[in-house]
């Protein structure tokens, strides 16, 4: 059964059209003109309880507007949203009590106070029983290492420490759904992995529905089993990260380390993508050229010390979609 149901959702904004020059400014002030901008254009989708979904798109695609409607901050122009049986904008207080939010570029922690003071405040805001609060804090301390810094003022914390505390704060009241906006922005590789592991653990243990909006495709690949792509207000893809790679990632890259420097290698259907003498990168379309046959033919002609076969990066596939190089496939996305 779906936890979130979105049907024919539309959001229009009325924008004031300003004219150039002094006379134009006066005219705009006295006789204002407006135009309508459609940020979200008749989209529909559903999310099951406990699903982890990446909701991505280029800047201005409509994802932030959609999330604001899901949280109840904005009211739709038309269409409807049901989240766990409630309408987010009609039942804002009830809805707000059961959601959590993590913003990578903003914090909900009190800047000049120790992080533990924010947790104490949230306990009272959400009217949590002391036993439940202490149990959750013990879990967060164990998995995120909060005890290392929880007594320090937030302004003295590193970015990684602050993000760990922010994520714990968003989950302290056992929300049914959590919205993540760039949760690992600016973090190093180790800190990112720690955050991703914790998020997956909490999803598995408490069946929390999670929605990620991020430009870091690593967050999507490492945490989400499903991905929604929105562009120009419309959903253009709804499926798994693996499916989009299988469908659209046409190229493979073969990196060969030759024992001796080589030049002028020509193979039908294979492009020499980068040539550094002893190390050469070949690029080819996976459906037209067999990697096994290519490696076999090269080892017969040349002495090779090592080779690496790389699949296409999902980040490059998504970038191509943003740039208009890939159109929606109704057989794949199922939303057209």
């Amino acid at each position: 059964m779906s936890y979130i149901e979105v049907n024919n959702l539309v959001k229009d904004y009325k924008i004031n059209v300003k004219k150039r020059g002094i006379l134009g400014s006066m005219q705009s002030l006295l006789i204002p003109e407006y135009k309508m901008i459609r940020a979200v254009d008749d989209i529909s989708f559903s999310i099951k309880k406990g699903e982890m979904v990446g909701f991505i798109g280029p800047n201005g695609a409509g994802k932030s507007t959609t999330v604001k409607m899901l949280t109840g901050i904005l009211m739709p122009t038309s269409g409807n949203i049901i989240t766990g049986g409630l309408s987010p904008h009609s039942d804002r207080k009830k809805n707000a009590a059961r959601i959590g939010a993590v913003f990578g570029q903003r914090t909900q922690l009190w800047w000049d106070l120790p992080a533990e003071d924010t947790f104490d405040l949230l306990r009272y805001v959400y009217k949590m029983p002391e036993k439940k609060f202490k149990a959750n804090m013990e879990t967060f301390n164990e998995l995120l290492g909060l005890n290392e810094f929880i007594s320090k003022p937030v302004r003295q914390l590193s970015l990684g420490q602050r993000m760990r505390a922010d994520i714990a704060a968003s989950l302290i009241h056992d929300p049914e759904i959590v919205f993540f906006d760039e949760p690992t922005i600016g973090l190093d590789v180790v800190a990112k992995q720690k955050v991703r592991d914790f998020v997956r653990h909490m999803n598995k243990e408490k069946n929390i529905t999670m929605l990620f909006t991020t430009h870091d495709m690593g967050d999507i690949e490492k945490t989400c089993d499903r991905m929604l792509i929105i562009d120009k207000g419309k959903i253009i893809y709804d499926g798994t990260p693996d499916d989009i790679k299988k469908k659209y990632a046409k190229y493979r890259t073969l990196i060969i380390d030759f024992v001796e420097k080589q030049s002028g290698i020509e193979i039908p259907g294979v492009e020499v993508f980068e040539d550094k003498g002893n190390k050469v990168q070949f690029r080819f379309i996976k459906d037209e050229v067999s990697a096994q046959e290519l490696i076999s033919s090269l080892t017969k002609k040349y002495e090779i010390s090592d080779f690496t076969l790389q699949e296409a990066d999902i980040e490059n596939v998504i970038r191509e979609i943003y740039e208009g190089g890939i159109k929606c496939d109704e057989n794949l996305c199922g939303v057209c």
Side-chain angles (χ1 to χ4, degrees):
M1 184 177 178
S2 298
Y3 180 75
I4 298 175
E5 281 285 349
V6 175
N7 294 299
N8 306 113
L9 192 65
V10 173
K11 181 61 181 177
D12 293 328
Y13 289 104
K14 187 165 72 170
I15 306 297
N16 193 338
V17 179
K18 294 185 178 180
K19 297 182 179 180
R20 298 179 62 182
I22 297 176
L23 292 177
S25 297
M26 293 179 64
Q27 186 178 354
S28 297
L29 184 63
L30 297 172
I31 311 174
E33 292 183 19
Y34 300 94
K35 67 177 180 179
M36 298 302 294
I37 301 294
R38 179 151 292 184
V40 176
D41 189 6
D42 193 26
I43 66 172
S44 299
F45 61 87
S46 61
I47 297 175
K48 295 178 182 178
K49 176 65 177 169
E51 259 195 299
M52 301 179 76
V53 179
F55 189 56
I56 65 172
N59 293 329
K63 58 183 182 296
S64 294
T65 299
T66 303
V67 170
K68 287 176 182 178
M69 288 189 283
L70 289 172
T71 57
I73 295 173
L74 290 178
M75 181 182 294
T77 302
S78 63
N80 62 79
I81 305 170
I82 299 297
T83 304
L86 297 177
S87 170
H89 62 274
S90 300
D91 305 295
R92 286 191 64 181
K93 287 186 177 180
K94 289 182 180 179
N95 189 62
R98 61 182 191 178
I99 67 174
V102 179
F103 300 100
Q105 297 179 344
R106 295 180 293 278
T107 181
Q108 61 177 310
L109 306 172
W110 286 81
W111 194 246
D112 291 312
L113 298 177
E116 59 188 349
D117 286 4
T118 297
F119 288 109
D120 288 336
L121 176 62
L122 290 173
R123 174 193 162 194
Y124 288 104
V125 167
Y126 290 109
K127 300 176 182 178
M128 294 182 64
E130 185 175 355
K131 185 176 180 181
K132 180 179 177 182
F133 175 77
K134 286 184 176 180
N136 285 352
M137 288 302 300
E138 286 176 7
T139 300
F140 298 154
N141 288 332
E142 180 182 350
L143 297 175
L144 292 173
L146 297 186
N147 281 334
E148 302 170 12
F149 55 82
I150 198 170
S151 299
K152 294 181 181 179
V154 172
R155 56 184 165 77
Q156 294 181 5
L157 302 183
S158 68
L159 179 58
Q161 290 172 334
R162 183 178 66 75
M163 283 308 306
R164 280 185 274 167
D166 259 314
I167 290 172
S170 72
L171 292 164
I172 190 65
H173 58 296
D174 287 338
E176 295 180 23
I177 179 170
V178 179
F179 297 91
F180 292 93
D181 181 19
E182 304 287 359
T184 64
I185 189 169
L187 301 185
D188 59 42
V189 176
V190 176
K192 281 185 179 184
Q193 191 57 48
K194 193 162 191 173
V195 166
R196 291 165 182 166
D197 289 343
F198 173 74
V199 166
R200 288 201 69 89
H201 173 85
M202 295 304 295
N203 169 260
K204 183 178 179 180
E205 290 296 313
K206 300 200 174 186
N207 200 34
I208 302 170
T209 306
M210 298 181 173
L211 191 70
F212 294 78
T213 57
T214 177
H215 292 291
D216 188 335
M217 289 310 302
D219 287 344
I220 304 298
E221 282 197 282
K222 298 290 173 59
T223 59
C224 300
D225 301 317
R226 181 179 166 205
M227 183 168 64
L228 294 167
I229 302 178
I230 187 170
D231 190 24
K232 298 178 182 177
K234 290 184 175 290
I235 301 291
I236 62 170
Y237 177 79
D238 182 354
T240 69
D242 285 341
D243 280 344
I244 202 170
K245 283 198 292 185
K246 289 176 183 176
K247 181 68 179 179
Y248 293 125
K250 297 180 179 180
Y251 291 97
R252 280 177 169 172
T253 302
L254 178 64
I255 304 171
I256 299 287
D257 289 319
F258 294 99
V259 174
E260 297 179 356
K261 185 177 180 180
Q262 304 295 334
S263 62
I265 299 176
E266 292 185 7
I267 303 170
V270 179
E271 173 191 359
V272 177
F273 188 64
E274 189 176 278
D275 189 345
K276 294 183 178 179
N278 289 64
K279 179 175 285 189
V280 181
Q281 290 190 29
F282 301 94
R283 191 171 71 165
F284 57 94
I285 298 175
K286 63 182 181 181
D287 293 334
E288 297 179 2
V289 176
S290 165
Q292 184 177 355
E293 291 177 3
L294 177 58
I295 294 169
S296 178
S297 65
L298 287 169
T299 54
K300 288 177 181 178
K301 294 181 181 179
Y302 309 97
E303 195 173 351
I304 294 172
S305 61
D306 197 8
F307 71 86
T308 304
L309 181 64
Q310 294 180 343
E311 298 292 340
D313 190 342
I314 192 173
E315 207 160 310
N316 292 328
V317 177
I318 300 301
R319 188 181 301 114
E320 193 173 343
I321 292 176
Y322 289 176
E323 293 171 354
I326 296 174
K327 302 302 180 184
C328 179
D329 184 335
E330 62 180 1
N331 295 320
L332 181 63
C333 76
V335 296
C336 297

